[in-house]
Amino acid sequence: YDPVSNYAYGLAAARLGTPIDAMDGFEVAAQSPEFRVAAWTEIAKMRLGRGDRAGAEEYARRSLEFNRMNLDAHQILAVVARMGRRREAAEVELRAMASLDPLSHFVRFERHLWAGDEPTRRAFVSGIRNEMPVETCLELAAWYVGVGRLADAGRLLALSPQNAEVLYWLAWVRSRQGDPDWADTLRRAEAASPRLVFPFRSETADVLTARIFERGRTPSSARMSFSVNSFKPRTDTSLI
């Protein structure tokens, strides 16, 4: 019942695609005040990813009882409210986040998803003023994918500055959605320059090792698919 071990076990099980085992680990870890907020937040994410909005909301609110500044929990609640078309409830969460993080890109993007108009699109895009806007968009897109919101991730990536990594992500998302534009997006990704592109997220490793890139398969002969099992670490003996 060691909380550190069980939290690590939960993370590993989630990564390996065994959500029941992951939630068991997080539940045990949550018995410790030190890991309670983080563990309940992970369970909320997993439940949202499985389409269990009520469960996601329950665990997100539990985590907020112990840490009102938990931005992940507020984000989960905002998404759950939007999925249920509860505009006022979503705005409560967005205002709470804006008070904690006035520069929140998530808040501006969620407001764009609600409004779907040009002013909110410009507000989101122009609000990203750091030196690596691509990384900001990829980080937020990875969060949406992590909670099962592929459509939201796709809309976000379409607004991002385009480089090879963004295009590979966008091709994968579109393929998962059954969007016929996925193949054209993949061709654009393969034609894009790799200059100053430095993938580092584990989620990107999964995207880049999707089965479409297996030997003998081409964008015209198969759709991109995603499986954690398609990522096979190997040892490069030339480095030994």
Side-chain angles (χ1 to χ4, degrees):
Y1 293 98
D2 179 69
V4 178
S5 299
N6 276 281
Y7 185 74
Y9 170 75
L11 292 175
R15 188 73 179 88
L16 291 171
T18 54
I20 301 302
D21 293 337
M23 285 190 276
D24 283 345
F26 291 136
E27 287 284 16
V28 175
Q31 295 180 26
S32 166
E34 182 181 1
F35 285 88
R36 186 165 296 155
V37 171
W40 280 344
T41 301
E42 291 301 322
I43 293 175
K45 288 180 181 178
M46 294 183 71
R47 287 188 176 274
L48 182 55
R50 291 159 65 92
D52 180 6
R53 286 185 283 172
E57 183 169 357
E58 175 189 350
Y59 277 91
R61 292 198 183 282
R62 282 192 193 183
S63 72
L64 285 170
E65 290 176 4
F66 290 86
N67 181 2
R68 304 302 300 177
M69 299 177 70
N70 183 356
L71 290 175
D72 259 355
H74 284 297
Q75 290 183 186
I76 291 166
L77 291 175
V79 171
V80 168
R82 176 165 53 80
M83 292 172 68
R85 306 308 300 171
R86 294 182 288 129
R87 182 66 179 267
E88 185 175 343
E91 193 58 35
V92 167
E93 301 303 328
L94 296 178
R95 285 196 298 268
M97 280 184 280
S99 68
L100 295 170
D101 179 10
L103 302 180
S104 171
H105 305 301
F106 177 91
V107 170
R108 292 196 309 279
F109 183 64
E110 280 290 317
R111 285 176 172 155
H112 173 59
L113 290 179
W114 273 105
D117 57 16
E118 182 61 19
T120 55
R121 186 199 69 81
R122 285 199 305 267
F124 171 68
V125 173
S126 64
I128 303 175
R129 302 180 184 179
N130 58 53
E131 67 277 14
M132 292 185 173
V134 164
E135 299 301 340
T136 297
C137 291
L138 283 171
E139 190 68 21
L140 191 50
W143 187 90
Y144 279 110
V145 169
V147 296
R149 299 298 302 166
L150 286 174
D152 299 338
R155 290 184 65 177
L156 192 153
L157 291 167
L159 297 178
S160 169
Q162 307 285 279
N163 70 0
E165 185 177 2
V166 169
L167 289 169
Y168 275 120
W169 266 89
L170 187 55
W172 174 74
V173 167
R174 286 176 171 172
S175 174
R176 290 290 302 276
Q177 292 181 282
D179 186 331
D181 288 339
W182 75 270
D184 180 64
T185 307
L186 181 58
R187 282 190 286 269
R188 289 166 56 205
E190 292 177 332
S193 170
R195 183 174 182 271
L196 299 180
V197 176
F198 303 105
F200 62 90
R201 296 174 181 83
S202 59
E203 299 93 340
T204 301
D206 291 326
V207 169
L208 295 179
T209 54
R211 289 176 182 166
I212 186 64
F213 300 108
E214 292 175 2
R215 181 176 298 178
R217 296 171 73 83
T218 65
S220 60
S221 64
R223 276 181 49 185
M224 291 181 74
S225 62
F226 170 83
S227 168
V228 69
N229 296 322
S230 68
F231 180 51
K232 301 180 179 64
R234 63 183 176 84
T235 301
D236 188 346
T237 56
S238 68
L239 300 178
I240 299 176

